[in-house]
Amino acid sequence: MAQIIDFDAVRARTYIEQAVESFLKDPPDSDYQRGYLAALLTVWEEAIGSKGDARHEAAYRLLRRP
């Protein structure tokens, strides 16, 4: 049976924005960190709505670095 998880969007948005800003200051340097950042960005975009946010775009560029 699938469970439905509900979360407070304001608290989630605050957490995700702070975590992304941390990665912008100190870019990910391992596959684990890049995966975590990718997951944060996916939730931010799909569940909370971050389209058009400059931090979101800058963080996606970090994932494209070799």
Side-chain angles (χ1 to χ4, degrees), residues 44-66:
W44 195 13
E45 181 178 334
E46 298 295 327
I48 299 172
S50 63
K51 297 218 185 232
D53 190 296
R55 295 170 297 180
H56 187 268
E57 297 304 317
Y60 260 121
R61 284 193 296 274
L62 289 177
L63 294 176
R64 292 187 209 123
R65 286 186 179 175

Side-chain angles (χ1 to χ4, degrees), residues 6-23:
D6 187 24
F7 60 90
D8 180 350
V10 173
R11 288 179 57 196
R13 176 187 296 267
T14 301
Y15 175 82
I16 291 171
E17 288 175 348
Q18 290 172 352
V20 168
E21 287 172 5
S22 293
F23 278 116

Side-chain angles (χ1 to χ4, degrees), residues 1-45:
M1 175 185 265
Q3 293 182 358
I4 297 174
I5 299 173
D6 187 24
F7 60 90
D8 180 350
V10 173
R11 288 179 57 196
R13 176 187 296 267
T14 301
Y15 175 82
I16 291 171
E17 288 175 348
Q18 290 172 352
V20 168
E21 287 172 5
S22 293
F23 278 116
L24 292 174
K25 293 175 187 171
D26 183 18
D29 56 6
S30 70
D31 287 341
Y32 175 82
Q33 288 180 339
R34 282 185 286 279
Y36 182 64
L37 176 57
L40 286 171
L41 292 173
T42 299
V43 171
W44 195 13
E45 181 178 334

